Amino acid sequence: MSQILKYREILLAAIIVVLIAVFSSRAPGFASPENLANIFNDTSILMILALGQMAVILTKSIDLSVAANLSFTGMAIAMMNAAYPQIPLPVLIVMAMGIGAVLGAINGLMVWKIGIPSIVATLGTLTIYRGMAFVLSGGAWVNQTQMTATFLNTPRIVVLGLPLLGWTAILAIALVALVFTRTVFGRALYASGGNPTAALYAGIDVGRTRFFAFVMSGALAGLCGYLWVSRYAVAYVDIAAGFELDTVAACVIGGISTLGGIGSVGGAILGALFLGVIKNALPVINVSPFWQMAISGLVIIVAVLFNARQEKRKGRLILRDAAKSRPLLAEVPAEGAAA
């Protein structure tokens, strides 16, 4: 499976390089370092959200409320900054992640303790969190004149050619990759989605693991709430509307199986970058918004079909190996009896 994932990531990276080359032939300067840095920066929020979505999908669940979580948290933090400008920015960021984690925990509890399917639970909280943002703000906007300069400008500070927003995404990628590959929680995520029954026999609490996956997704959505508001210098109820589908698309394109237990951080990031390149390039070559949506949808369908084919091939390999092992197993008692 690691070889399949590696092949998938290399193929996706190659496709991204080819797309950049094709688009640069139509739009000179598209492949310039400055523009590529801008594309990475524009995709940073999607990459961070995709990491949280990946954690949930690995456990054979889905979180459709990430964008609504982002919206509520962004509104709450923007209003807090406007009302209490003396609060330090690090405190506001911690508050944003805390609020997001609480909203994620609500999703996790419904899935874990009540047994509601994740798609139903998070579809409900998607609407609830958007409604909470409207009630909190009264439908009003928080614009840049109401927020402090430090609040707005910090993610835009350029370090080594990349804004701090992009460096935040790089830090998040590194930390999440470390958690997924070097911690007990990371191994539990893969086991809970890959084979829940075996995970239970191994002493893994599948329900608790799913709960913390939702908490992680919520915390990252809370962080993105601040990053989104500061980047676009405005907070309103409908920010990031439909963005939850982009996070799922990034994961699916990157090879994270919707059946759980399969995927890598590199794949999720490449999936997000693929969408970022597409969305930045199509307007440059004068492709209408309708076709942008259609192309994105077509890519998702192709990615799902590719995933299904790989998983079916994996199943055939397992059955073939099991069939080969049966004669060997059958010979053991015979040799014992002969002895």
Side-chain angles (χ1 to χ4, degrees):
M1 181 51 61
S2 61
Q3 292 179 348
I4 293 176
L5 290 175
K6 184 178 180 181
Y7 168 76
R8 174 64 172 268
E9 292 168 5
I10 293 174
L11 177 62
L12 186 54
I15 291 174
I16 292 173
V17 171
V18 170
L19 285 176
I20 291 174
V22 171
F23 290 135
S24 62
S25 66
R26 295 285 304 275
F30 185 83
S32 65
E34 295 80 7
N35 190 61
L36 294 179
N38 287 334
I39 292 174
F40 185 89
N41 194 57
D42 289 342
T43 315
S44 294
I45 294 176
L46 176 58
M47 287 190 286
I48 296 173
L49 285 176
L51 294 174
Q53 187 71 260
M54 174 186 170
V56 175
I57 292 177
L58 283 176
T59 66
K60 203 178 291 188
S61 301
I62 194 169
D63 187 356
L64 297 179
S65 69
V66 287
N69 187 330
L70 182 158
S71 175
F72 175 79
T73 305
M75 177 63 74
I77 294 303
M79 293 178 66
M80 185 70 70
N81 178 249
Y84 304 99
Q86 69 275 14
I87 298 178
L89 180 59
V91 175
L92 289 174
I93 294 175
V94 171
M95 289 175 60
M97 296 185 70
I99 294 171
V102 169
L103 298 182
I106 293 172
N107 292 331
L109 286 173
M110 287 193 293
V111 174
W112 177 25
K113 292 297 185 181
I114 304 178
I116 302 175
S118 60
I119 190 171
V120 176
T122 58
L123 187 61
T125 53
L126 180 157
T127 306
I128 293 171
Y129 296 162
R130 289 280 181 187
M132 287 167 54
F134 181 84
V135 171
L136 180 65
S137 64
W141 291 29
V142 181
N143 57 50
Q144 61 180 357
T145 61
Q146 299 171 269
M147 294 179 274
T148 64
T150 301
F151 183 91
L152 292 173
N153 296 330
T154 298
R156 306 178 189 183
I157 297 174
V158 177
V159 179
L160 300 176
L162 189 67
L164 282 181
L165 173 58
W167 287 112
T168 301
I170 292 173
L171 178 61
I173 293 167
L175 290 176
V176 171
L178 183 65
V179 169
F180 282 7
T181 58
R182 294 291 186 269
T183 67
V184 174
F185 173 65
R187 290 189 288 272
L189 286 174
Y190 283 92
S192 297
N195 194 328
T197 303
L200 287 172
Y201 281 115
I204 297 173
D205 190 329
V206 174
R208 186 184 299 273
T209 301
R210 284 178 179 158
F211 169 77
F212 283 112
F214 278 105
V215 172
M216 177 180 175
S217 177
L220 292 175
L223 172 62
C224 290
Y226 161 68
L227 295 175
W228 186 290
V229 170
S230 62
R231 172 163 177 74
Y232 297 104
V234 65
Y236 57 97
V237 175
D238 291 328
I239 62 174
F243 213 60
E244 60 278 346
L245 300 181
D246 287 346
T247 66
V248 175
C251 290
V252 171
I253 292 171
I256 287 81
S257 172
T258 54
L259 299 178
I262 299 174
S264 69
V265 170
I269 298 307
L270 287 171
L273 284 174
F274 178 88
L275 291 177
V277 170
I278 291 291
K279 291 188 176 183
N280 277 271
L282 294 183
V284 173
I285 60 177
N286 298 320
V287 176
S288 70
F290 170 78
W291 282 110
Q292 293 176 39
M293 296 172 62
I295 292 172
S296 297
L298 179 62
V299 168
I300 294 170
I301 292 173
V302 172
V304 170
L305 292 175
F306 185 87
N307 288 350
R309 183 178 179 183
Q310 293 296 334
E311 288 162 8
K312 187 179 295 184
R313 181 180 300 174
K314 176 192 173 187
R316 285 198 294 265
L317 291 173
I318 292 173
L319 290 174
R320 186 188 66 187
D321 294 341
K324 288 181 178 179
S325 66
R326 284 196 197 102
L328 297 176
L329 294 174
E331 291 174 5
V332 172
E335 291 176 358

